[in-house]
Amino acid sequence: MEHAVAPGHAAEHEQQTSTGLDHRKLAMWAFLASDCLFFGSFISTYMIYRGRSVAGPTPDHIFSIPYTSVSAFVLLMSSLTMVLALAAIQRGDHRGLRVWLLATALLGSVFVGGQYFEFTSFYQHGLSLSVNLFGSTFFVLTGFHGAHVTLGIIMLLSLFLTSLLGRLPTADSLTVELVGLYWHFVDVVWIVIFTVVYLLPA
């Protein structure tokens, strides 16, 4: 059974920092800021070496923009379901929380599955991590992002299981919010990657 906790009682468990933010939220923002540096370096490397491959295949030979656009749309829709999950726990709707957490995890899984299919297709067309500069920078960048999405799915399923066991009370909505911050970050990063890698001409 899940017990409601009075707002005053919930506030007692918040550990504020000198910035006025809960220390867990501050730590998450710090982590995301450091992660921006990693993605920034990978994206910069891709752009520097874009179009410099001596041998093929090249992006115009293997990319399927419609397919990747659908995959990107699926991931972006998962941000909406994540928002609905947070709204559900904040109003004490734990069943709704579990529904939207599971929906977010499923959408993320569809994206990862689509990325795996895309990687397999590219490999069959001769693109690998070591075949040329495009392959090296492309697989490192998009693979790094795919790993982040996979980690986010694990977080979502962990929250789902925790809620199912009745261990995620309304007063602990910050935990869902933190996972939501991570998930939205991953989605925003994909918008940048999709634009730079798939949409910009080589």
Side-chain angles (χ1 to χ4, degrees):
M1 178 181 294
E2 289 140 342
H3 301 282
V5 180
H9 186 267
E12 295 175 1
H13 290 80
E14 295 181 0
Q15 301 184 34
Q16 303 292 335
T17 63
S18 58
T19 62
L21 294 174
D22 183 275
H23 72 286
R24 293 179 292 169
K25 184 178 289 188
L26 185 62
M28 176 58 77
W29 279 115
F31 167 74
L32 295 180
S34 65
D35 223 20
C36 279
L37 298 179
F38 283 103
F39 277 110
S41 64
F42 288 142
I43 292 172
S44 299
T45 301
Y46 177 86
M47 294 186 70
I48 290 172
Y49 291 109
R50 186 179 60 187
R52 295 191 180 185
S53 297
V54 177
T58 55
D60 56 313
H61 293 147
I62 62 175
F63 278 169
S64 173
I65 302 302
Y67 175 85
T68 311
S69 298
V70 172
S71 185
F73 177 77
V74 168
L75 187 62
L76 292 180
M77 286 300 98
S78 69
S79 272
L80 173 61
T81 55
M82 188 69 238
V83 169
L84 293 173
L86 177 60
I89 190 175
Q90 288 177 338
R91 65 173 180 268
D93 180 9
H94 292 274
R95 181 180 179 279
L97 166 68
R98 290 190 285 270
V99 168
W100 294 120
L101 283 176
L102 192 58
T104 307
L106 288 174
L107 289 172
S109 298
V110 170
F111 173 83
V112 173
Q115 191 174 52
Y116 174 79
F117 175 82
E118 187 178 54
F119 283 4
T120 302
S121 175
F122 290 171
Y123 185 79
Q124 291 173 348
H125 283 81
L127 184 68
S128 67
L129 190 63
S130 58
V131 71
N132 56 23
L133 288 172
F134 164 60
S136 300
T137 54
F138 171 81
F139 281 118
V140 169
L141 173 58
T142 55
F144 188 61
H145 178 267
H148 276 68
V149 177
T150 302
L151 177 60
I153 293 170
I154 294 173
M155 291 180 181
L156 292 166
L157 293 178
S158 297
L159 287 180
F160 174 81
L161 181 59
T162 302
S163 176
L164 200 60
L165 296 175
R167 298 176 183 174
L168 191 61
T170 302
D172 200 20
S173 63
L174 179 60
T175 301
V176 179
E177 183 179 353
L178 294 178
V179 174
L181 284 174
Y182 175 87
W183 193 258
H184 296 317
F185 168 78
V186 168
D187 286 1
V188 170
V189 168
W190 182 250
I191 294 175
V192 177
I193 293 175
F194 180 65
T195 302
V196 169
V197 175
Y198 292 89
L199 299 184
L200 292 182

